[in-house]
Amino acid sequence: MIMKIAFYDTKPYDRIWFEPLAAGYDYSIKFFEYKLTADTAPLADGYDAVCVFVNDTIDAEVIDILYDRGIRLIALRCAGYNNVDFKHSYGKIHITHVPSYSPAAVAEHAAALLLTVNRKTHRAYVRTRDNNFNINGLIGMDLNGKTAGIIGTGKIGRIFIDICRGFGMDIIAYDPFPIDGADFSYVPLQTLYAKSDIISLHCPLNGDTKHIINSAALQQMKPQAIIINTSRGGLIDTAALIESLKAKRIGGAGLDVYEEESEYFFEDYSTDIVEDDELARLLSFPNVVVTSHQGFFTREAMQAIAMVTLENIHAFAEGEELVNEISY
Ligand code: NAI
């Protein structure tokens, strides 16, 4: 049987990586530029599966619309699934994801953000292009000998720990499910906040972790602490972060994700007015670097994402076990 797949939120790079690999399967893929929402879900009428990304909406309303139109598989082409109401989809639509494609890609991007915020290379780049060779205000700190606090020691967190060790940093970590025999210390969150010179978030977004970095957490941090978030925007209370940055209570932030990113990230607003005042305020700080959820974006990761997503769809089509199903 030819599987008909409605592919939402398509960007040119999705087609580049998915089309050649999909040619090896009996698939008919329709690439929509729209995100999946309650308004666009009816476009999936007549398809067997939908393929979605991080900022598509897969809530109860969308699941019901898709189910009524015969969709029985939602294939996420990403790891995180905080945008999916998988309790509601239980018994109706199977949900698969790509649990691991290149944890190194995300960890390396976290390192890029850390080095940029610390040594202010984003500002140096702009200055020297304008023939301004003054280095006032670009001072950073040695990472060697400093303490990195890692929240979440899963696949990405552990690679980031190795990278930090390469810089000569001491590691402390917090994770409610610690690794047995870890060669670093697990500490309570309060200790991590108080002792870390840099704090990097590598845990999933869920009911326990939403706003794990809130006003109280920020107040416990060192004044020069740098926060790196490559996980999910909702881990940080943005208003509280802005207050801390304004009050100069922390050293800076490198953010690949943002609480309200779904409208802006991956889109070109360069000739529009950004109406999100918190995003605009974040972008105005010299010690904040925002990237647009590109931690995953390496050639190796894109190839792995396309391969695993297509294999997930294939397993569903063949009635095989869905090894990458998100089960409630
Ligand atoms: P993973 O599942 O291997 O590790 C997550 C770790 O977080 C686990 O060790 C888990 O025990 C821990 N954890 C769970 N609850 C916690 C809590 N309350 N406090 C602290 N730690 C907690 O996941 P992986 O592959 O390392 O990914 C981490 C996150 O990175 C994902 O959840 C996803 O949101 C994000 N991500 C971001 C990408 C990007 O492009 N920026 C791409 C891929 C993933």
Side-chain angles (χ1 to χ4, degrees), residues 79-80 99 101 106 151-157 174-177 202-206 208-209 212 230-232 256-257 293-296:
Y101 35 92
V106 185
I151 300 182
T153 55
K155 293 178 286 296
I156 297 170
Y174 171 77
D175 193 313
F177 307 99
H202 299 290
C203 57
L205 175 61
N206 57 36
D208 292 334
T209 59
I212 195 167
T230 54
S231 280
R232 285 294 179 266
D256 188 46
V257 287
H293 206 139
Q294 66 174 81
F296 71 99

Side-chain angles (χ1 to χ4, degrees), residues 32-261:
F32 295 121
E33 287 182 18
Y34 319 98
K35 287 193 179 66
L36 177 61
T37 64
D39 290 336
T40 60
L43 293 169
D45 201 14
Y47 290 84
D48 303 302
V50 301
C51 182
V52 297
F53 195 46
V54 291
N55 288 325
D56 289 295
T57 306
I58 306 122
D59 60 11
E61 186 184 6
V62 167
I63 288 166
D64 287 341
I65 295 170
L66 294 176
Y67 182 72
D68 289 345
R69 282 164 172 77
I71 298 293
R72 295 295 178 264
L73 174 70
I74 298 175
L76 302 180
R77 53 183 194 278
C78 54
Y81 45 80
N82 53 288
N83 53 336
V84 181
D85 186 344
F86 54 91
K87 288 183 191 165
H88 192 80
S89 73
Y90 180 73
K92 294 180 182 151
I93 300 184
H94 295 281
I95 314 271
T96 57
H97 71 144
V98 185
S100 177
Y101 35 92
S102 175
V106 185
E108 289 168 15
H109 192 70
L113 287 173
L114 170 59
L115 293 179
T116 306
V117 174
N118 180 32
R119 301 304 297 270
K120 312 199 173 43
T121 44
H122 57 305
R123 303 195 63 79
Y125 173 80
V126 174
R127 281 193 196 181
T128 54
R129 285 175 70 90
D130 197 28
N131 297 338
N132 176 356
F133 303 104
N134 187 317
I135 62 169
N136 281 335
L138 302 185
I139 197 159
M141 63 176 165
D142 280 16
L143 294 179
N144 185 35
K146 296 293 189 304
T147 298
I150 311 299
I151 300 182
T153 55
K155 293 178 286 296
I156 297 170
R158 272 177 279 172
I159 295 176
F160 189 69
I161 286 171
D162 287 343
I163 293 173
C164 289
R165 285 223 174 96
F167 289 132
M169 303 189 81
D170 297 322
I171 309 295
I172 54 176
Y174 171 77
D175 193 313
F177 307 99
I179 309 165
D180 283 341
D183 54 356
F184 50 83
S185 317
Y186 283 100
V187 296
L189 268 181
Q190 284 85 345
T191 310
L192 185 145
Y193 293 145
K195 290 200 165 163
S196 300
D197 298 289
I198 71 126
I199 293 172
S200 197
L201 300 171
H202 299 290
C203 57
L205 175 61
N206 57 36
D208 292 334
T209 59
K210 185 170 164 64
H211 288 182
I212 195 167
I213 303 296
N214 55 19
S215 180
L218 287 155
Q219 281 176 24
Q220 295 169 56
M221 292 178 193
K222 290 186 178 182
Q224 290 308 319
I226 293 174
I227 299 169
I228 304 297
N229 188 7
T230 54
S231 280
R232 285 294 179 266
L235 297 173
I236 298 182
D237 177 345
T238 310
L241 176 65
I242 289 171
E243 277 314 305
S244 286
L245 287 161
K246 274 169 71 178
K248 302 175 191 157
R249 277 201 304 269
I250 57 161
L255 309 173
D256 188 46
V257 287
Y258 164 62
E259 243 183 319
E260 302 298 332
E261 70 179 47

